[in-house]
Amino acid sequence: METVSVDILNPSGLSLLKELEKLKLIAIHENEKTSVKSDDFMDLVRKIRKKSTAPLSLDEITAEVEQQRAEMYAVSE
């Protein structure tokens, strides 16, 4: 089985999909959020930035990224 996300641009497209569902060729699951849109990401970035008192410098950002990567890829013994 393979899962895909489809944006229906024409209302007749939905009726075609429903016909395929009746033939038991596909299953339709409506109103499921399958991925984060870029707008959602930018909303999150804005929300985080509002909480910040001062912007981070490029060096501070780089240090934080390197620290997170080191923790993420650390080998536990």
Side-chain angles (χ1 to χ4, degrees):
M1 177 171 45
E2 189 173 343
T3 302
V4 296
S5 175
V6 176
D7 292 326
I8 300 171
L9 303 177
N10 185 317
S12 63
L14 182 59
S15 63
L16 290 172
L17 290 173
K18 289 188 181 207
E19 289 298 320
L20 291 173
E21 184 179 39
K22 286 179 188 175
L23 295 171
K24 298 187 185 221
L25 296 174
I26 64 169
I28 298 175
H29 304 284
E30 294 182 29
N31 299 325
E32 289 186 11
K33 191 169 185 175
T34 57
S35 64
V36 177
K37 295 182 180 178
S38 62
D39 291 340
D40 295 338
F41 174 73
M42 288 309 297
D43 289 341
L44 178 61
V45 169
R46 287 185 198 97
K47 182 179 176 183
I48 292 170
R49 285 180 177 166
K50 284 182 184 178
K51 293 180 180 181
S52 176
T53 57
L56 296 174
S57 71
L58 183 57
D59 291 335
E60 291 171 317
I61 294 170
T62 302
E64 181 65 28
V65 169
E66 288 175 357
Q67 177 186 350
Q68 292 299 319
R69 285 182 179 161
E71 291 175 11
M72 186 170 46
Y73 296 117
V75 177
S76 53
E77 295 178 37

